[in-house]
Amino acid sequence: MKIIKRIVWQWRKYIAIKTAIRAHEADGKKYLVINLDGKPTVVTKGKIREMKKRGLLKKGVTVQDFENRAIFISK
């Protein structure tokens, strides 16, 4: 069962990375693939800044913390 879960997670990661690359090529924004609720998720760097301004992130958490823990960063 662990092997199947690992394969599914790797597949989702692969799809998320491809999505981030395509989105970056389309609009030039910086995209991060991060692990949210156990699933790789594509988020823009601007969206993380916006979440921080709204107070949705804990105090002391910075955008660079997300970049350091990201699975993939589009450049």
Side-chain angles (χ1 to χ4, degrees):
M1 201 61 186
K2 287 183 181 180
I3 294 171
I4 295 171
K5 285 184 180 182
R6 186 176 292 159
I7 291 169
V8 170
W9 195 86
Q10 288 290 334
W11 180 253
R12 287 180 177 166
K13 182 178 92 170
Y14 172 77
I15 297 296
I17 290 172
K18 289 291 184 184
T19 305
I21 291 170
R22 287 187 185 129
H24 173 71
E25 290 172 353
D27 61 11
K29 293 182 182 178
K30 194 171 198 179
Y31 286 85
L32 305 165
V33 177
I34 58 175
N35 192 11
L36 283 179
D37 297 328
K39 296 179 184 175
T41 308
V42 179
V43 182
T44 63
K45 189 174 177 182
K47 187 71 168 175
I48 294 172
R49 284 188 194 130
E50 184 180 313
M51 289 168 54
K52 184 176 173 157
K53 284 181 184 177
R54 285 194 209 165
L56 298 175
L57 302 176
K58 291 182 180 180
K59 272 194 168 179
V61 176
T62 63
V63 176
Q64 290 174 342
D65 293 336
F66 279 94
E67 285 184 349
N68 292 337
R69 299 196 69 196
I71 299 168
F72 175 79
I73 302 171
S74 67
K75 295 185 180 186

